[in-house]
Amino acid sequence: MAKVKKAKANTISNEHGASMDKIVSLCKRRGFVYPSSEIYGGLSATWDYGPLGVELKKNIQDAWWKEMVRRHDNIVGLDAAIMMHPRTWEASGHVENFSDPLVDCKKCKTRFRADHLEEIQAEKGTEKGVCPECGGELTEPRQFNLMFTTHMGPVADSGSVIYLRPETAQGIFVNFKNVVDTSRVQIPFGIAQVGKAFRNEITTKNFIFRTCEFEQMEMQYFVKPGTEDVSFEEWKAKRMTWYQERLGIKSERLRFAEHGPQELAHYAKVAFDIEYEYPFGWQELEGIHSRTDYDLSRHGEFAGKEINYLDPEDNNRYVPYVIETSSGLTRSVLVALMDAYHEETIGEDKNGNPDIRTVLHLHPDIAPVKVAVLPLVKKDGLAELAQGLEKDLREDFATFYDQGGAIGRRYRRMDEIGTPFCITVDYESKEEKTVTLRFRDSMEQIRLPMNEVADRIRKEIRDYKRS
Ligand code: GAP
């Protein structure tokens, strides 16, 4: 197919990375993420996902599910309840251990994480050992449990306390036996789950990075004791590849970081984080943990029912070991947006000033809108022709129809939300049944028959590689 326009791709220069302010502003402006209950002034550390944000989040979740459940014939899915029997959290160790050391200001009552205090004092330039907000006296550090509690049933006494789950993993452990008994899985096998988790976090700055309500994508892989180290290495490699190849995150912004003895969670024998280089530094995106038989043994003990696995090969029973991959879905949304964000100078405007476009180089698999259909003008039947095409494409792709304003401005609006393909319907489309297909990343345009455009887009999505 003849290329009709090699659009200024060689003039792309002067790239800027994403700052948190720019991401927050884009998210609000274009409907990715809003402050929660904003009309009441918002609620700290909670956010709502708007029309584009919910699509992006769902696409990341679908990509993860496809990778973990569809591509592995030994991984099955689960959707456990958020509210679980309170003994679950005693067995898991969360009641006893899931806490942060906090200090309170005796004067203004502000609460700080003891391990973050020095950093905050340095940031604000305040003296060590006093409240960074008001200079007041601080209490000694006290352990503060991160689980939210509520009451179930008609009487709100201590016997009715239940917790909002702080991780989805425990829903998987308590269903281990159900899954073994009702499906044909054999060790090694995995159970995958996506869902909400809740933590009463004190340090919640940085937008959707750390919030009180968030979503996790977790997979517990059950293995024979003695094989866990090999399995751990396999999952480490697979998970890193997923971020790079399926989510299109830049390799140089990802790395592994091993947990030292002080950081290891109470259940973990070895743990590595996959970290991303956020504008505020390297921080966790996913945790990969070797959890031994800790969880299944503890649930067996607390429920008074031994949980084990009968090996069909040698008829021996054992408590499986667990490799866990635990990704933040809402944190992955942030990473996808930050990594994709670029401001590119693509020439000069008519006054000689740099012409800058903002573009999200999202992997097409996760882009909220895949294809925009744009009639060059509304009149002369072009709008109707474009609407017909958009309706056909809707069956296969998330589409958007836009007929208002100059075509260049419409392209820019699509670039800003990461739409990888724009189809323009013009007068030639009427005569010759051809359209222009524009590619977001290169801004290149090609002409092709209207009835070939869906196949071409499918191929482009399948072969996409982030440049
Ligand atoms: N089941 C193991 C577990 O929950 P974690 O390292 O505490 O491990 C796993 O959490 C992932 O969940 C993190 O890597 C992060 O992506 C996400 N996550 C944890 N706390 C979060 C929070 N307060 N807000 C947003 N995402 C969070």
Side-chain angles (χ1 to χ4, degrees):
M1 191 52 53
K3 286 178 183 170
V4 294
K5 203 169 170 191
K6 178 98 178 144
K8 301 184 196 164
N10 54 352
T11 62
I12 293 174
S13 63
N14 196 14
E15 292 195 356
H16 307 274
S19 71
M20 190 57 101
D21 286 350
K22 284 179 177 173
I23 294 294
V24 174
S25 149
L26 174 78
C27 282
K28 179 77 203 297
R29 192 170 68 247
R30 299 305 308 270
F32 282 93
V33 181
Y34 313 121
S36 164
S37 22
E38 195 182 7
I39 58 166
Y40 292 104
L43 178 69
S44 76
T46 54
W47 299 88
D48 296 343
Y49 289 76
L52 294 180
V54 73
E55 292 285 344
L56 175 59
K57 180 152 70 69
K58 188 177 172 306
N59 291 343
I60 294 176
Q61 175 178 338
D62 289 349
W64 183 87
W65 194 263
K66 185 171 177 188
E67 178 72 17
M68 305 302 267
V69 182
R70 301 264 180 277
R71 291 204 174 99
H72 290 91
D73 55 14
N74 65 343
I75 299 184
V76 293
L78 184 80
D79 185 11
I82 287 173
M83 293 183 284
M84 301 177 70
H85 195 290
R87 292 277 281 167
T88 307
W89 305 108
E90 290 173 35
S92 69
H94 283 81
V95 171
E96 200 183 333
N97 298 312
F98 196 56
S99 50
D100 280 340
L102 298 183
V103 294
D104 290 316
C105 172
K106 291 183 182 169
K107 193 168 153 202
C108 72
K109 310 291 177 212
T110 308
R111 195 162 255 189
F112 305 93
R113 257 176 75 164
D115 52 337
H116 291 179
L117 194 58
E118 243 179 70
E119 193 190 318
I120 303 171
Q121 282 162 339
E123 243 173 50
K124 300 220 169 190
T126 46
E127 234 179 279
K128 273 192 185 171
V130 297
C131 172
E133 293 298 332
C134 71
E137 195 189 337
L138 296 169
T139 62
E140 286 301 307
R142 281 174 299 191
Q143 290 300 326
F144 176 82
N145 197 291
L146 294 177
M147 284 194 293
F148 281 103
T149 55
T150 186
H151 293 270
M152 189 175 231
V155 185
D157 63 5
S158 61
S160 67
V161 168
I162 59 162
Y163 303 96
L164 299 188
R165 68 180 177 198
E167 60 171 14
T168 58
Q170 298 304 323
I172 293 179
F173 294 126
V174 301
N175 277 294
F176 171 80
K177 201 170 155 6
N178 281 337
V179 174
V180 170
D181 290 348
T182 56
S183 53
R184 291 180 162 265
V185 288
Q186 284 188 7
I187 278 179
F189 76 90
I191 304 178
Q193 173 166 226
V194 182
K196 293 237 173 184
F198 303 83
R199 297 182 188 178
N200 199 354
E201 303 275 10
I202 296 301
T203 309
T204 51
K205 56 183 182 177
N206 292 330
F207 194 34
I208 54 172
F209 174 76
R210 183 179 286 112
T211 49
C212 288
E213 177 177 345
F214 57 100
E215 283 175 76
Q216 290 186 315
M217 307 185 284
E218 295 202 299
M219 193 276 302
Q220 315 294 322
Y221 200 68
F222 299 93
V223 301
K224 192 169 184 167
T227 65
E228 70 275 13
D229 293 346
V230 175
S231 191
F232 186 74
E233 289 308 319
E234 278 172 13
W235 279 109
K236 253 178 75 189
K238 280 188 186 185
R239 294 302 304 144
M240 181 61 99
T241 307
W242 184 74
Y243 286 109
Q244 293 165 345
E245 291 181 6
R246 304 285 177 191
L247 285 204
I249 306 298
K250 288 198 160 158
S251 304
E252 62 271 25
R253 296 201 189 125
L254 291 165
R255 72 175 188 194
F256 286 114
E258 185 170 9
H259 285 206
Q262 302 303 318
E263 298 158 286
L264 271 184
H266 58 274
Y267 48 73
K269 169 180 139 180
V270 193
F272 274 77
D273 288 339
I274 294 179
E275 290 188 339
Y276 180 76
E277 191 178 18
Y278 301 86
F280 47 90
W282 288 95
Q283 294 275 344
E284 180 178 353
L285 168 59
E286 166 160 344
I288 302 158
H289 310 122
S290 187
R291 291 181 80 130
T292 69
D293 59 356
Y294 176 85
D295 303 271
L296 291 182
S297 300
R298 292 271 294 189
H299 286 302
E301 201 183 300
F302 276 69
K305 297 179 183 109
E306 205 176 319
I307 302 174
N308 55 31
Y309 175 77
L310 177 65
D311 194 324
E313 277 177 19
D314 56 13
N315 257 357
N316 275 333
R317 283 192 181 275
Y318 59 83
V319 182
Y321 271 35
V322 171
I323 304 303
E324 168 183 71
T325 69
S326 178
S327 170
L329 170 55
T330 40
R331 201 171 283 185
S332 296
V333 170
L334 179 64
V335 166
L337 287 168
M338 289 191 150
D339 203 65
Y341 186 95
H342 270 111
E343 287 173 17
E344 298 168 354
T345 305
I346 55 167
E348 285 183 353
D349 66 16
K350 52 182 186 296
N351 303 318
N353 298 318
D355 182 11
I356 297 171
R357 76 162 181 158
T358 300
V359 54
L360 291 182
H361 292 287
L362 290 170
H363 192 297
D365 269 343
I366 60 171
V369 176
K370 307 275 188 278
V371 188
V373 183
L374 319 169
L376 191 63
V377 290
K378 282 181 258 183
K379 55 186 188 183
D380 301 329
L382 296 193
E384 290 74 14
L385 190 59
Q387 280 159 359
L389 176 62
E390 192 258 341
K391 217 165 163 206
D392 286 348
L393 292 170
R394 245 187 238 178
E395 295 300 315
D396 297 312
F397 308 101
T399 56
F400 185 77
Y401 174 78
D402 184 8
Q403 62 179 26
I407 191 74
R409 284 174 66 91
R410 281 183 271 164
Y411 286 150
R412 294 294 177 87
R413 283 183 58 77
M414 288 297 122
D415 289 342
E416 199 185 41
I417 61 165
T419 304
F421 309 103
C422 287
I423 298 172
T424 312
V425 172
D426 54 21
Y427 287 101
E428 252 180 273
S429 312
K430 260 175 84 178
E431 311 299 321
E432 295 175 18
K433 300 277 172 280
T434 59
V435 288
T436 297
L437 178 62
R438 175 192 184 262
F439 300 95
R440 173 200 66 200
D441 292 351
S442 63
M443 294 183 290
E444 217 176 275
Q445 299 180 12
I446 61 169
R447 193 92 199 162
L448 76 175
M450 211 184 267
N451 62 7
E452 287 177 16
V453 75
D455 281 346
R456 177 62 190 255
I457 290 172
R458 245 188 297 278
K459 184 176 175 324
E460 291 287 336
I461 294 178
R462 206 177 47 233
D463 298 345
Y464 182 82
K465 284 243 167 347
R466 172 96 182 259
S467 54

